[in-house]
Amino acid sequence: MKFTALMFLLSLAAPAAAQTLSGRVTDANTDAPLPARVEVVDTGVAVTAGSDGRFVVAVPSAERTTIVCAYPGYYVHRQGIDTRNTTTLEVRLVPIVTLEDRIEVTATRAREGADPATFTNVPREAVADAHWGQDPAILLAQLVPGVYATNDNGNGIGYSYFSIRGFGQSRTRVMLNGAPLNDAESGELFFIDLADFMATAGDVQVQRGVLGLSGLGGAIDLTTASPAVVPSFSVHAGAGSFETRRLMVQAESGLVKGAWAFSGRYSKITTDGYRDQSWVDMWNYYFALARYGERSRVRAVLFGGPERTHLAYVGVPEQVLAGGLTGDADRDRRYNPLTYPGEIDNFLQPHYQIVHDASLSERTRFSQTIYTFQGKGYYDQFRANRRLYEYALPNVRLPDGTLITRSDLVRRRNVDEWDAGWVPSLAHEFGRVSLDVKAEVRIHRARHIGEVTWAQFYPTLIAPNHRYYDYRVGKTTATTAAAARVPVGQRVALTAGLQVSSHRYELSDDRLKGMAFTRDFRFVLPRAGAVVTLGSSGHVYVHVARGMREPFFRNLYDPQDYYATPAALDPEDVWNVEAGVSLRQSSWRLRANTFWMNFLNEIVYAGALDDNGVPIYGNGARSRRQGVEIDGSLTLAPRVGIDATLAVSRNRFTRYREFDFEGGAAVYDGNRVAGFPDVMASIVAHATIGRSRVSLAARRIGRFYLDNTQDDARVNRAYTSVDAVAKVALPERLARGTGCSRIDLDVRVNNLFDRRYATFGYVDDGLPVFIPAARRAVYVGLTFGL
C-alpha cells in the first residue's frame, strides 16, 4: 500500500495537462495480483504495480492512448483507452506458462490434465540451475526419467548422444520452436553445432512414446526464451577442469514502445576434453526480435556458430582403462585411439526462424514456425592400409616393379546442405469439443563429397584431392495430424487422432557410380486415449497409438561405401500403449506411468560402429519394450525440497536373426536389446537460502549389454555419480562496489566422489571397448549483472 500511495503522490506532480489512471493487474486464471510493468506508450511513462497488483500512472488528456502491461511468463497486454471516460482499469494477464510446472504452452506440446500423454516438463528455472555449458543431451538425462546420454569427450562438451526408452536420438524427434532439428537423411542430432544453446533456451518438454508428430521413442520440444520485458545486461565467465573455458555475454532491451523487445547472446566455449585429443573450440551467437501485438506475438530468431573438435568416438579395451598401456590407470583411461592430429571436425549450421502465434478469436488459436537452416563443413580421417580401389584409385607401380594395392591415407568427408520448412498449427473449440490440427512441410537438399587428401602411395597421374564419392540427395516430407477431444460428463475426456505423412528420398547426380533412384514412404497412423480427472488433485490417462518411421537414407543405400548396393528395407512399425497417473498436492507432486511397445521390422543397434563412429543397425527385428517410469517432488520445508526419478524397463527381442558376411545367422530371440540400461534412478536435494541455491544430485545407472548376444563379458557395468552445485548471490554491497547490480558465483563439482566408470561401449572385432567418463571435475563461474 505504501508503494501505491507513493505512485499516487508522484502522479499529482505530473504536468497539469495530464491526468491519472489507476488500476489493478491480476492473473487471468487465478486472479492473483501481479507486480507488472505498466507503460503509457504515447508518453513513455512507466510504473511498476505493487505487490497487490495496483498501480497509478499519469496519462495524457487526449481522446485515445495505449496502455501496455507486461510481466515475465505472461503475454503482453495492449489496450487502447479513451482517457476522457476511463479513470480505472482492470488488467488480466494470460499466462504463457502453466501454473503447475511454469512451462510455456505451445502448439507442439502435451497439456497436463488434457492430453493422454506421458511427458515431463522441465521449467526454465530447472534448466538454468543445471546448465553450465554442457550439451543439452547431458543436461536432460539428469532431469528426465527414461533418458540416457553419453559423450565422446568424457566431460559433457562435444559430441553427445541420448536415447529414450532405448531408442537413439535418430529415432526421437527433437523440435526447436516447433521446427525439427534431426538431420533429414540420418535422423541424427548434432548439438555440438549449438554451443551453449541452453543458456538462452526457454523450458523443455520431453514426451515419451508415440504422440502426434513425435518420433518412435518420443519427442523433445525445446523453446528459445522470449525476449525479456525488463532490460538487462550480464556477463558470465567461467573455468573448470580439463582447461574448460566459457564466456557468455547477454543483453535484453526490455519492452520498447510497448511492442518490441530484443535479446542477444554471444558464447565462447573451449575445452581440452577429458580424453586425449578431444578438444573442442566453438562459439555461438543468438539474436531474437519480438513484436507483441494485442492478440499476437511474432519472433524472428537467428542462431548458430562454427565448431571445431578433434574426434574421439573410438572406445578402448577394458585392460587399457585399467592401466594396460603405461601402468597408470588414471593416465591410460584418457587414451584416445584417434591419434592423428588432423582428425578434426569443422562445421557451421546457422538457423533462421519466424515464430508466430495469434489468437484469432476467443475459441481459435493459430501458431506457425517458418524456418531454414544451412549446414556446411567437413571432417578428416586417417585410415591405415586401405585398398586403393575402395577409393576409386588405381594401383601404384613402384620404380622397382612392386605393385602397391594398399596404402595409408587421409580422407575428407564434405557436406553442403540446406533445409527449409513450415510447421503450422490450428486449435479451435466447438462448444466443449476441441480440435487440434498440425502439419509439417520440410524440404532437404544436400551434396556429399569424399576426397583423398593424402596417401602414402598416391598415383602420380591422379590430381590432388581425388574424389571417391560425389552425389546429391534430397528428401521431402509432408505431414498432417488432427486430434479431437470430446468431454463425456464432468470428469472424462476422450481423444482420437489421425496422422497422414509422406516421405520421399531422391538420389541424383552420383558422379562416380551413376546411381539414381527415388523411394517413397507413406503412413496413416491412428491414436486414441482417455483422461479421467480426479477432482482437483490429479488425473489418470490411457493412450494407444501406432507409429511408423521410414529407414534412414544410408540404410537404403550408402554411396560412400564402395561395396554398398541398394536395399529394400521396410519401415519400422510400432504399437504403443501408455497408462499413467498424475497427482498433486500443496507439498508434493507425483507422476507415474507404465508403457508397452510392440515392434515389427525394428531397425536395431547391432553392437558396432562404422568407419565414421556411427552405430550400425540391422532391420527385421521384432521386439517388445515395457516398463515403469516415475518422477516426483516433495517440499520438506519452505524453499527446501527433493526431486526424484525412476525408470525400470525390459527391452527384449521376440524374434531377431543377425546375419554375418558368410551368410550365417545368430538367433537372438529373447535377448536384451543392446545399449540401454534396465534401471535408471536419480534424486536431487535442493535448498534456497535468500537469493542463493545449493543442490546435491545422485544418479544411478544400471548395467547394460554392449551388443545383442547377451554375453556377460560384453557389459557396461552399473555406476553411480554424484554432483554438487552451489549458486551463491554475493553481497549487494560488493556488487555495487564494482558497479554491478548483482554478482552470482556458480560452483559445480561433477562426479564428486571421483568414481571411475564408462558411459557407453560397443564391440570391435569381437572385443568390447568403452567410452570412459571424466573423473572428478570442477567448474567455477561468475555472472555479473549490469
Side-chain angles (χ1 to χ4, degrees):
M1 296 301 295
K2 292 181 179 179
F3 179 84
T4 303
L6 176 60
M7 295 310 305
F8 180 72
L9 291 174
L10 290 175
S11 68
L12 293 179
Q19 59 190 64
T20 60
L21 175 73
S22 61
R24 186 168 181 262
V25 185
T26 58
D27 183 294
N29 293 337
T30 65
D31 290 327
L34 297 173
R37 182 178 186 272
V38 181
E39 178 182 348
V40 181
V41 175
D42 296 335
T43 63
V45 173
V47 299
T48 301
S51 59
D52 58 358
R54 299 190 180 278
F55 67 89
V56 178
V57 64
V59 295
S61 55
E63 291 188 10
R64 300 284 297 178
T65 194
T66 301
I67 302 295
V68 172
C69 185
Y71 189 70
Y74 290 79
Y75 288 101
V76 173
H77 177 86
R78 294 172 58 90
Q79 183 174 345
I81 63 171
D82 186 339
T83 59
R84 297 171 303 176
N85 302 319
T86 305
T87 58
T88 61
L89 187 66
E90 290 290 328
V91 179
R92 296 173 60 80
L93 295 184
V94 178
I96 300 173
V97 298
T98 62
L99 300 177
E100 291 83 3
D101 292 304
R102 291 190 56 77
I103 186 164
E104 184 172 354
V105 179
T106 71
T108 54
R109 290 184 167 176
R111 298 159 295 177
E112 181 78 21
D115 296 312
T118 300
F119 61 89
T120 298
N121 290 333
V122 184
R124 171 60 188 156
E125 294 86 347
V127 172
D129 281 346
H131 181 62
W132 56 272
Q134 76 276 45
D135 286 357
I138 304 300
L139 184 152
L140 293 175
Q142 300 170 345
L143 304 174
V144 180
V147 177
Y148 184 62
T150 67
N151 171 251
D152 286 346
N153 308 59
N155 67 331
I157 300 174
Y159 271 100
S160 298
Y161 317 90
F162 71 86
S163 56
I164 296 179
R165 294 182 176 175
F167 301 104
Q169 57 191 25
S170 61
R171 302 155 82 198
T172 300
R173 179 179 171 90
V174 178
M175 297 165 287
L176 177 54
N177 294 329
L181 279 182
N182 303 72
D183 181 78
E185 295 179 46
S186 67
E188 284 295 339
L189 281 161
F190 306 104
F191 283 126
I192 192 173
D193 299 321
L194 305 175
D196 208 19
F197 176 77
M198 300 306 283
T200 35
D203 41 43
V204 183
Q205 183 177 90
V206 179
Q207 302 166 7
R208 301 186 293 281
V210 179
L211 178 70
L213 300 180
S214 70
L216 295 181
I220 296 179
D221 191 326
L222 303 162
T223 62
T224 55
S226 296
V229 296
V230 177
S232 66
F233 183 84
S234 63
V235 177
H236 176 92
S241 303
F242 320 119
E243 297 299 318
T244 300
R245 301 287 185 268
R246 177 182 173 219
L247 172 66
M248 182 188 72
V249 180
Q250 187 169 355
E252 301 276 0
S253 70
L255 206 59
V256 178
K257 295 296 183 181
W260 297 91
F262 169 82
S263 63
R265 172 184 56 82
Y266 166 83
S267 292
K268 171 75 172 179
I269 295 179
T270 60
T271 181
D272 285 351
Y274 172 67
R275 305 181 69 193
D276 294 338
Q277 293 198 81
S278 63
W279 55 264
V280 178
D281 186 347
M282 53 188 177
W283 63 268
N284 186 268
Y285 62 86
Y286 170 86
F287 299 106
L289 177 66
R291 188 186 190 284
Y292 300 94
E294 292 187 21
R295 301 172 62 178
S296 67
R297 179 179 57 162
V298 180
R299 285 182 290 160
V301 183
L302 296 81
F303 55 92
E307 59 84 7
R308 297 183 74 244
T309 180
H310 192 284
L311 299 172
Y313 57 81
V314 177
V316 295
E318 191 166 16
Q319 59 266 32
V320 172
L321 296 180
L325 287 179
T326 67
D328 183 349
D330 290 339
R331 170 64 265 168
D332 290 354
R333 71 190 317 271
R334 301 179 67 173
Y335 175 67
N336 176 8
L338 298 177
T339 57
Y340 172 58
E343 200 106 2
I344 296 172
D345 178 73
N346 302 262
F347 206 75
L348 171 64
Q349 190 183 73
H351 291 248
Y352 312 89
Q353 297 181 342
I354 300 294
V355 185
H356 170 229
D357 63 87
S359 176
L360 304 182
S361 70
E362 291 184 359
R363 292 182 171 270
T364 307
R365 291 196 62 84
F366 175 72
S367 302
Q368 61 180 329
T369 298
I370 302 170
Y371 69 91
T372 183
F373 60 87
Q374 300 168 292
K376 189 170 185 178
Y378 65 91
Y379 58 97
D380 291 337
Q381 296 175 301
F382 175 83
R383 290 295 179 262
N385 197 31
R386 290 305 173 96
R387 291 182 177 90
L388 291 172
Y389 68 78
E390 294 179 353
Y391 292 86
L393 288 170
N395 295 332
V396 176
R397 181 76 64 178
L398 298 182
D400 63 1
T402 303
L403 182 65
I404 300 298
T405 62
R406 291 174 175 265
S407 174
D408 294 349
L409 55 85
V410 174
R411 67 187 186 189
R412 173 168 293 181
R413 297 195 159 182
N414 303 270
V415 62
D416 188 354
E417 61 186 357
W418 61 266
D419 286 68
W422 178 45
V423 185
S425 176
L426 181 68
H428 183 72
E429 295 180 1
F430 301 89
R432 297 180 63 203
V433 178
S434 61
L435 177 66
D436 292 322
V437 179
K438 303 173 185 177
E440 177 187 356
V441 177
R442 181 179 184 181
I443 301 172
H444 167 82
R445 298 291 183 267
R447 185 180 183 186
H448 299 267
I449 297 174
E451 301 172 297
V452 177
T453 60
W454 173 86
Q456 182 184 8
F457 300 101
Y458 198 96
T460 56
L461 299 180
I462 301 297
N465 299 327
H466 169 73
R467 294 184 180 182
Y468 67 98
Y469 66 79
D470 185 348
Y471 65 94
R472 298 178 187 270
V473 64
K475 186 179 181 184
T476 304
T477 293
T479 301
T480 300
R485 182 175 183 270
V486 183
V488 179
Q490 297 300 314
R491 292 181 175 269
V492 180
L494 303 179
T495 64
L498 189 69
Q499 175 180 320
V500 179
S501 59
S502 173
H503 308 272
R504 165 171 285 194
Y505 288 113
E506 297 177 73
L507 172 65
S508 64
D509 201 16
D510 187 342
R511 299 188 177 184
L512 274 79
K513 298 182 180 180
M515 184 68 69
F517 64 78
T518 299
R519 294 285 172 83
D520 291 294
F521 297 90
R522 294 183 177 87
F523 309 129
V524 178
L525 307 174
R527 62 186 179 95
V531 179
V532 180
T533 302
L534 305 175
S536 60
S537 62
H539 66 275
V540 297
Y541 66 89
V542 63
H543 185 248
V544 181
R546 186 185 189 188
M548 298 183 74
R549 192 191 62 78
E550 70 282 4
F552 306 131
F553 173 73
R554 289 176 64 184
N555 293 147
L556 298 172
Y557 176 62
D558 185 1
Q560 302 178 22
D561 184 351
Y562 173 82
Y563 301 100
T565 58
L569 294 183
D570 295 323
E572 294 185 286
D573 191 346
V574 59
W575 279 97
N576 175 210
V577 179
E578 304 273 337
V581 59
S582 178
L583 302 172
R584 185 185 298 272
Q585 294 294 334
S586 59
S587 61
W588 58 270
R589 173 189 60 79
L590 175 69
R591 290 193 185 97
N593 68 276
T594 183
F595 64 90
W596 180 89
M597 306 182 80
N598 194 53
F599 268 84
L600 300 175
N601 298 320
E602 182 178 2
I603 300 176
V604 297
Y605 173 51
L609 304 183
D610 67 12
D611 267 355
N612 305 303
V614 176
I616 296 173
Y617 294 91
N619 185 234
R622 296 189 178 192
S623 69
R624 185 167 296 133
R625 302 174 188 233
Q626 50 197 355
V628 175
E629 298 160 336
I630 302 171
D631 71 284
S633 60
L634 174 66
T635 301
L636 301 176
R639 313 190 83 182
V640 178
I642 293 176
D643 301 323
T645 70
L646 173 66
V648 180
S649 62
R650 182 62 59 89
N651 304 329
R652 289 187 179 273
F653 294 112
T654 56
R655 184 182 187 279
Y656 182 42
R657 308 288 188 271
E658 192 168 279
F659 296 92
D660 58 30
F661 289 108
E662 285 72 38
V667 178
Y668 294 144
D669 298 0
N671 284 16
R672 302 282 181 86
V673 178
F676 191 76
D678 285 352
V679 178
M680 297 186 294
S682 69
I683 184 168
V684 181
H686 53 83
T688 302
I689 306 167
R691 295 187 298 117
S692 302
R693 182 178 174 89
V694 295
S695 66
L696 190 67
R699 184 167 172 81
R700 175 67 176 178
I701 303 298
R703 71 198 292 264
F704 59 87
Y705 290 100
L706 304 185
D707 67 4
N708 301 321
T709 62
Q710 200 167 301
D711 184 343
D712 286 335
R714 301 176 175 184
V715 169
N716 197 91
R717 296 189 183 93
Y719 64 88
T720 301
S721 64
V722 177
D723 301 334
V725 178
K727 301 190 75 171
V728 181
L730 299 184
E732 293 184 3
R733 180 180 302 176
L734 174 63
R736 288 194 299 269
T738 60
C740 299
S741 61
R742 64 181 177 87
I743 301 177
D744 297 328
L745 173 66
D746 188 358
V747 179
R748 300 171 185 264
V749 183
N750 298 326
N751 194 2
L752 178 66
F753 298 113
D754 202 23
R755 302 298 188 194
R756 297 176 181 172
Y757 61 91
T759 60
F760 182 66
Y762 58 96
V763 177
D764 182 19
D765 197 22
L767 179 69
V769 294
F770 301 88
I771 304 292
R775 299 188 61 182
R776 183 187 296 120
V778 178
Y779 178 83
V780 179
L782 283 171
T783 302
F784 302 87
L786 304 178

